[in-house]
């Protein structure tokens, strides 16, 4: 069965974003003991997850990085 679509980003979501350079990347929001950078699993406490939590598909968010801000567009939100 395919993952369920969701209205908002919450813990456990897999979120696909479009970065400002056009690249699309997926992140799964997990607990701190499940983090796996190679798989795109980020802690719910990470800066990436914090800007995505409670947002909706289609929204744009700003992620603060050491090199400056980057705009991300939320393309898809799914739950397994």
């Amino acid at each position: 069965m395919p993952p369920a679509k969701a209205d908002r980003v919450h813990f456990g979501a897999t979120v696909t974003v479009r970065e400002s350079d056009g690249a699309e990347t997926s992140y799964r929001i997990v607990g701190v003991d499940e983090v796996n950078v190679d798989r795109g699993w980020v802690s719910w406490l990470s800066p990436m997850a914090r800007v995505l939590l409670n947002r909706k598909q289609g929204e744009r968010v700003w992620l603060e990085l050491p090199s400056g801000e980057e705009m991300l567009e939320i393309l898809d939100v799914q739950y397994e």
Side-chain angles (χ1 to χ4, degrees), residues 11-27:
F11 183 89
T14 298
V15 185
T16 302
V17 299
R18 180 179 297 124
E19 299 169 9
S20 52
D21 66 1
E24 293 182 14
T25 307
S26 292
Y27 300 96

Side-chain angles (χ1 to χ4, degrees), residues 49-66:
R50 292 177 75 166
V51 300
L52 295 174
L53 286 169
N54 295 312
R55 302 298 186 140
K56 292 183 179 180
Q57 181 177 339
E59 282 191 65
R60 293 186 173 141
V61 297
W62 289 96
L63 175 64
E64 294 207 26
L65 301 168

Side-chain angles (χ1 to χ4, degrees), residues 64-76:
E64 294 207 26
L65 301 168
S67 59
E69 288 186 323
E70 178 167 358
M71 186 188 67
L72 305 172
E73 179 182 0
I74 301 172
L75 301 177
D76 192 43

Side-chain angles (χ1 to χ4, degrees), residues 29-44:
I29 300 174
V30 299
V32 293
D33 58 337
E34 300 173 286
V35 171
N36 185 323
V37 177
D38 293 334
R39 295 177 74 180
W41 292 14
V42 297
S43 164
W44 68 279

